[in-house]
Amino acid sequence: MTQSETQSPSFPLSLRPWPTNETEESLKVVISRVFESRGHFKDISEQSLLDEIQAEQASKSQTRSDLDHVDESKDELDPKARLEKIYATKAEMWQSLSQAHQEVLMVQDLVSLLLRKETDLPLPPSNPMLPGPEKDKKKKGAEKSMTEYVLNNTPLRALGFKEASPGTELLASDGKREDEEAISQGHRMKGLCKSADNLLAAARRLKKEVEKETNYWNQILTIRETGWSITRLPKEQHNLAVRFGFSEAAGNFKHRGLAALRAGESGNIVLDETLTSATKSIRVCIVENGKVVGSSRLPLMDAGPGAPIQDLIRSARDTLFDEELFQELTRESRLLLPHKVTMHGGKIHIPVYQSAAHDWTGSTSTREVVLDLIGDDETSTMDRGPGDTEAQGIALALRVLLSYTHRQRLHSRTQVPLPIDDRRHKEPTPPLIRVLMGYLQHKTGLDNIRSLLQRRMLLLKQGGLSLNFTAKSTSPNISTWLSQYRESDAVGHNIQASCFESFVSLLCAPLETTITFGMGDEAATSGSEIASIRLQSHLSTPLLGTNVALRLPDPHIRREGTPDTDSYDSLDDLMTTVTHAICSHLVQTITSKHDGWNTSPGGNEATKGGSGPNDQQKRLVVSMDDKSLNIALSKVGENNVWRHSWTTDQDIPDNKTFADVVADLSLS
């Protein structure tokens, strides 16, 4: 080494650092610096150092000769060509430097990977390209000199080395080699068997997933073909959902009409348990004198785990619809407290008629409609009663009215909105109970009037008289509309667009029925009409209720000064006037056939004589009540009164008619 330094004083050997003012470094520091500069000592020898010195001297002499050659030929190149040559040489130099830098980094990564297994070995110099000391603190050993890519993508101890003496051959015996081959073959067979098992398990799992997905999507297609709307969950876009609710439902019922279609273990669609477990339905009961005489049919709520998915969705839709219906009924019942509509115990009680002195229906019993919302655990089998058909019709009518309310809300949303102001526009309560009450009161009043007129007919029939009446409804007839709809549907006419609106408009139209009655063979005609009763029922506020009016067209059978048409609040007052009109008609008929008898308009009695002192006045009175028809003849001043009666409860029929009795009285 001394000789090399003498021959080349300008060569800076790393074993001799630049002189400093500090004290001489220790041998450990010198060895570490040599290791960082030259690598391991096993690769450094005296001959290698001499060769390196000679190669560097030869390189310097070659460089000097090249420079001399350039100086000699530089005059031959013009400045532009020389500048282009300098740029080309610079680019070639940078390319060579970049390639050398990459090769150095690759060698450094290889050495670092080899040293990563041995943590006690000295480390190569740190990578100057690594950023800052912050990341070096987290690295240990040879990881400090590795690039980030190799460090993050190479597993621990992927490479290693083993030092062996030169010329030593590690040869195993034949027996040991056979054992190693057998062991190696066994390991390979074990790995192949494990791989085969894993492939078979993956195939079975894949087959199961395919069957599961096939079953799930088949059910999705079935739901879609049935007519349900399939969409995605708003907050879970990766899950499908079915929309079974109503877009125009009120309040929270609009948002509850969406259910997720999740796949179960076998691929079957599983709905939310809250939709399938709590099924509810509206029940309508007809209660008369505290006894249930009719009940609506409850839908088959088979929403168990084994039920088809279409039935589960339909059951959830029906439950949601009936819950909204019961809420609307509850809201409306609070507005109808003046009409004696009450709610207690979770049930809505709608009176049809009650035993009241001023109730125009005239009933002596109580009858009401009870509405409640029951679940599948509260359903019980009830005996069939005479009012089952009426209760079922009420339940269907209420559901139709709520559906019509949804359609009206949709129509109002399509219209031009109102101007924006500070007032809050409250949505009116849909008329559900009001329509029901109007129909029930109108039907009950009409039935009671017919019943009372039939009693009068029976009494007059006992006396040989005839009373006939006819009822004519001027309101739209739903039965006629249904018949026309069936005929049009059978022909194939497309009336589905407006049939629902026309049906509900008929259902909500005011009801009006006129009962005309008269006596004789041509009774109830325009020529022999005694009276007519008109019932008008309004199904919405402010004219909610039923109005009863009596018309007496003949001025001779109504009291003087009274109008020909008058309204009544009580059925007793109405039938009293009707009975008096019949008696007055009979008296007018008698006086018209016998001379000398006088009667006042609207009166049920006639008088004759009394003009002279010896002419004793006679008095004829015709009266009738619920049980008897009476005719009486008396003389003024005498207590003896001749009377004849016909009753409906007599066992032996009377052979004398009303005309025979009048003839026997010698009224002439």
Side-chain angles (χ1 to χ4, degrees):
M1 295 183 182
T2 307
Q3 184 179 0
S4 300
E5 293 176 2
T6 305
Q7 294 178 358
S8 179
S10 62
F11 181 75
L13 185 61
S14 61
L15 295 178
R16 293 179 59 187
W18 293 103
T20 58
N21 297 327
E22 300 178 358
T23 58
E24 187 177 357
E25 296 179 352
S26 62
L27 180 61
K28 181 178 180 180
V29 176
V30 174
I31 293 175
S32 176
R33 186 164 57 253
V34 172
F35 185 83
E36 292 179 359
S37 176
R38 293 290 180 176
H40 204 275
F41 279 98
K42 67 179 182 179
D43 298 329
I44 301 176
S45 62
E46 183 178 2
Q47 184 63 35
S48 63
L49 294 176
L50 291 176
D51 294 341
E52 185 177 352
I53 293 172
Q54 292 177 0
E56 187 173 354
Q57 289 179 353
S59 176
K60 288 183 178 182
S61 61
Q62 180 67 28
T63 303
R64 189 177 299 108
S65 63
D66 292 341
L67 291 175
D68 294 341
H69 180 69
V70 169
D71 293 339
E72 293 176 358
S73 59
K74 63 181 180 179
D75 296 335
E76 300 177 1
L77 299 175
D78 57 345
K80 184 177 181 180
R82 187 192 313 167
L83 185 60
E84 292 178 355
K85 185 177 182 180
I86 290 175
Y87 286 154
T89 305
K90 182 179 179 180
E92 183 180 358
M93 180 183 65
W94 277 112
Q95 184 178 1
S96 300
L97 289 176
S98 299
Q99 184 177 359
H101 182 261
Q102 293 296 329
E103 292 177 356
V104 169
L105 291 180
M106 293 173 63
V107 172
Q108 181 177 348
D109 289 336
L110 176 62
V111 174
S112 300
L113 286 174
L114 292 174
L115 296 179
R116 192 178 185 184
K117 184 178 180 182
E118 306 293 337
T119 57
D120 297 336
L121 295 177
L123 301 176
S126 300
N127 187 3
M129 300 301 291
L130 291 177
E134 294 295 331
K135 293 189 177 181
D136 291 343
K137 294 180 181 179
K138 300 179 182 179
K139 301 177 182 179
K140 298 181 295 183
E143 296 178 352
K144 295 182 179 181
S145 59
M146 296 173 63
T147 58
E148 292 293 336
Y149 179 81
V150 177
L151 180 63
N152 296 331
N153 295 276
T154 307
L156 181 63
R157 299 185 179 183
L159 294 177
F161 68 92
K162 183 176 181 181
E163 186 176 358
S165 301
T168 304
E169 296 180 0
L170 301 177
L171 300 176
S173 60
D174 295 339
K176 186 176 181 180
R177 185 176 300 168
E178 292 178 358
D179 294 341
E180 290 179 354
E181 290 181 358
I183 293 172
S184 176
Q185 186 176 4
H187 277 291
R188 286 196 298 270
M189 291 298 296
K190 184 178 180 180
L192 291 175
C193 291
K194 186 176 181 180
S195 299
D197 294 339
N198 292 336
L199 289 175
L200 291 176
R204 288 191 296 269
R205 187 171 62 253
L206 179 60
K207 182 180 179 181
K208 184 178 180 181
E209 291 295 330
V210 169
E211 293 176 353
K212 179 179 177 180
E213 288 293 325
T214 303
N215 190 16
Y216 175 79
W217 287 107
N218 286 337
Q219 294 188 13
I220 290 292
L221 291 177
T222 303
I223 295 173
R224 184 72 176 269
E225 293 173 356
T226 309
W228 300 105
S229 176
I230 303 297
T231 181
R232 293 184 181 273
L233 281 178
K235 297 183 180 180
E236 301 178 15
Q237 294 293 328
H238 58 282
N239 286 332
L240 295 178
V242 58
R243 187 176 299 279
F244 58 87
F246 305 90
S247 59
E248 303 304 326
N252 191 33
F253 297 99
K254 180 178 181 180
H255 305 287
R256 289 174 53 191
L258 189 69
L261 299 175
R262 307 184 189 277
E265 295 181 357
S266 60
N268 293 326
I269 295 178
V270 179
L271 290 179
D272 192 356
E273 294 183 358
T274 57
L275 299 176
T276 58
S277 60
T279 55
K280 296 181 180 181
S281 178
I282 287 285
R283 180 177 62 182
V284 180
C285 295
I286 308 296
V287 180
E288 187 170 352
N289 296 328
K291 182 181 178 181
V292 178
V293 297
S295 177
S296 61
R297 297 190 304 270
L298 298 178
L300 297 177
M301 296 182 290
D302 185 13
I309 186 63
Q310 295 88 346
D311 295 344
L312 296 178
I313 298 174
R314 189 179 297 107
S315 176
R317 180 203 61 183
D318 295 344
T319 299
L320 186 65
F321 185 83
D322 282 2
E323 286 182 355
E324 182 187 1
L325 175 59
F326 191 74
Q327 175 178 298
E328 296 293 344
L329 292 172
T330 303
R331 290 175 54 197
E332 189 178 8
S333 65
R334 300 191 187 104
L335 303 176
L336 298 177
L337 288 176
H339 298 272
K340 300 179 182 180
V341 178
T342 60
M343 179 177 182
H344 52 82
K347 298 181 179 180
I348 301 174
H349 298 262
I350 304 173
V352 179
Y353 55 76
Q354 296 178 342
S355 57
H358 299 285
D359 188 4
W360 72 267
T361 56
S363 176
T364 58
S365 60
T366 59
R367 183 181 175 93
E368 63 179 0
V369 177
V370 180
L371 308 174
D372 60 346
L373 184 67
I374 61 174
D376 53 354
D377 54 344
E378 302 177 12
T379 57
S380 60
T381 57
M382 301 181 63
D383 298 334
R384 298 182 63 86
D388 289 348
T389 304
E390 182 181 1
Q392 183 65 20
I394 292 174
L396 294 177
L398 291 176
R399 293 187 174 98
V400 168
L401 291 174
L402 182 59
S403 299
Y404 183 68
T405 301
H406 290 170
R407 195 175 289 263
Q408 283 183 322
R409 290 172 182 169
L410 177 61
H411 177 72
S412 62
R413 286 202 303 111
T414 58
Q415 303 302 313
V416 178
L418 297 176
I420 300 176
D421 54 7
D422 297 335
R423 294 179 300 175
R424 182 179 180 181
H425 299 279
K426 187 177 180 181
E427 183 179 358
T429 304
L432 305 176
I433 301 179
R434 285 165 280 186
V435 176
L436 174 62
M437 289 182 63
Y439 265 92
L440 294 177
Q441 290 181 0
H442 189 85
K443 177 180 178 298
T444 303
L446 186 61
D447 292 342
N448 289 334
I449 292 176
R450 284 176 174 173
S451 177
L452 293 175
L453 287 178
Q454 287 174 357
R455 291 183 188 178
R456 305 300 188 268
M457 287 177 60
L458 184 58
L459 283 173
L460 294 174
K461 186 177 181 181
Q462 294 289 338
L465 301 174
S466 62
L467 176 68
N468 297 326
F469 67 90
T470 57
K472 181 180 179 181
S473 176
T474 57
S475 58
N477 194 341
I478 297 179
S479 300
T480 305
W481 182 90
L482 291 175
S483 301
Q484 295 176 356
Y485 170 75
R486 294 191 187 97
E487 294 176 359
S488 301
D489 191 33
V491 175
H493 293 170
N494 186 13
I495 58 173
Q496 299 294 333
S498 60
C499 66
F500 184 75
E501 286 81 359
S502 61
F503 173 75
V504 178
S505 62
L506 291 178
L507 191 64
C508 299
L511 305 176
E512 183 175 346
T513 303
T514 303
I515 301 176
T516 305
F517 59 92
M519 299 185 64
D521 297 335
E522 298 179 356
T525 61
S526 60
S528 60
E529 177 184 344
I530 296 178
S532 61
I533 304 174
R534 185 182 63 185
L535 281 79
Q536 285 183 329
S537 297
H538 299 274
L539 308 182
S540 61
T541 55
L543 300 177
L544 179 62
T546 302
N547 180 33
V548 182
L550 176 64
R551 177 177 177 270
L552 299 174
D554 189 359
H556 298 90
I557 63 175
R558 66 171 182 265
R559 290 183 176 88
E560 189 175 359
T562 59
D564 59 345
T565 304
D566 196 6
S567 299
Y568 294 85
D569 296 331
S570 173
L571 187 61
D572 294 336
D573 298 340
L574 173 66
M575 294 313 300
T576 299
T577 306
V578 170
T579 303
H580 186 82
I582 295 175
C583 295
S584 179
H585 178 74
L586 293 175
V587 171
Q588 293 292 337
T589 303
I590 294 173
T591 57
S592 63
K593 294 180 180 180
H594 299 84
D595 297 333
W597 290 90
N598 299 318
T599 181
S600 60
N604 63 333
E605 62 181 30
T607 59
K608 181 180 181 182
S611 59
N614 296 326
D615 189 6
Q616 193 175 12
Q617 187 180 20
K618 297 180 182 180
R619 183 184 180 192
L620 177 67
V621 179
V622 178
S623 63
M624 184 172 55
D625 54 19
D626 290 340
K627 296 182 179 180
S628 63
L629 171 64
N630 308 307
I631 182 171
L633 180 63
S634 63
K635 292 182 179 181
V636 178
E638 295 182 1
N639 294 328
N640 187 15
V641 178
W642 186 89
R643 184 187 303 271
H644 192 89
S645 300
W646 293 270
T647 61
T648 57
D649 54 355
Q650 57 188 8
D651 298 333
I652 301 175
D654 197 340
N655 294 327
K656 289 186 177 182
T657 63
F658 188 84
D660 296 338
V661 172
V662 171
D664 294 342
L665 292 178
S666 300
L667 298 179
S668 302

